[in-house]
Every structure is written in C-alpha cells, then in structure tokens.
C-alpha cells in the first residue's frame, strides 16, 4: 500500500489536499523537472492513501474527492474543533 492511512495522521490548522493522476503522484513528481524527489512522502508532510484496498488500479477523481474528504472530515474536525462549534449551526 502506498502512503499512510487516515488513522496514522494528525493535522494542524492548515491543509492542502493533492490528488494524483492516473499513474499516481509518483509519476507527477517524476515528470516535474524542477523537483529532485519522486517519492511523495519526501515532498509532502503526509502522504495518505484514503482508499486503501480499493481493488482497482485507479479511481476517478470525482470519486476520490468524495471518498477522501469524507475520510478526512473527522481529522479536520478534530484539528479545527468543529465539534465544539456545532452548536452554532443548530
């Protein structure tokens, strides 16, 4: 499995989510002539696989966005204290 699982990360107040192409982030990094690293874990603080065991080689971007943001929601909530702010939306 490439990358960590959601359970292995903790976030701070800022988050940038990057999705790779059909060949993954590795291929994207390899094609960038300005980068010397081609391992995503060397470029990003957290390299996370939000769809471990998906059973297929690729996943459509629109599916990856929904799955990833849903999986990240509890981590984001914990980092930004959304639970304590839920009373404002009720």
């Amino acid at each position: 499995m490439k990358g960590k699982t959601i359970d292995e990360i903790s976030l701070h107040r800022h988050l940038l989510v990057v999705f790779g192409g059909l060949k993954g982030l590795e291929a994207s990094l390899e094609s960038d002539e300005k980068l010397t690293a081609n391992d995503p874990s060397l470029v990003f603080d957290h390299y996370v696989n939000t769809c471990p065991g998906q059973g297929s080689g690729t996943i459509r971007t629109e599916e990856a966005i929904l799955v990833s943001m849903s999986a990240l929601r509890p981590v984001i909530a914990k980092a930004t204290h959304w639970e304590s702010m839920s009373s404002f939306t009720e």
Side-chain angles (χ1 to χ4, degrees), residues 70-84:
S70 295
L72 286 169
R73 187 174 188 274
V75 178
I76 295 168
K78 183 177 178 183
T80 60
H81 309 291
W82 277 353
E83 284 97 10
S84 63

Side-chain angles (χ1 to χ4, degrees), residues 9-15 45-46 75-81:
I9 66 168
S10 62
L11 297 178
H12 299 284
R13 300 285 295 172
H14 298 90
L15 171 69
D45 291 333
H46 298 289
V75 178
I76 295 168
K78 183 177 178 183
T80 60
H81 309 291

Side-chain angles (χ1 to χ4, degrees), residues 59-89:
I59 185 169
R60 293 184 356 222
T61 302
E62 58 270 25
E63 294 170 338
I65 291 170
L66 291 172
V67 168
S68 300
M69 297 312 291
S70 295
L72 286 169
R73 187 174 188 274
V75 178
I76 295 168
K78 183 177 178 183
T80 60
H81 309 291
W82 277 353
E83 284 97 10
S84 63
M85 296 174 57
S86 63
S87 62
F88 292 114
T89 59

Side-chain angles (χ1 to χ4, degrees), residues 2-57:
K2 297 177 183 177
K4 299 177 183 178
T5 65
I6 293 291
D7 299 329
E8 297 176 89
I9 66 168
S10 62
L11 297 178
H12 299 284
R13 300 285 295 172
H14 298 90
L15 171 69
L16 170 68
V17 178
V18 178
F19 295 92
L22 289 175
K23 296 181 182 178
L25 286 174
E26 296 83 2
S28 299
L29 296 177
E30 286 176 16
S31 67
D32 190 324
E33 296 173 2
K34 294 181 182 179
L35 289 175
T36 57
N38 60 3
D39 181 350
S41 65
L42 300 174
V43 178
F44 301 102
D45 291 333
H46 298 289
Y47 174 45
V48 180
N49 182 350
T50 58
C51 303
Q54 69 190 25
S56 67

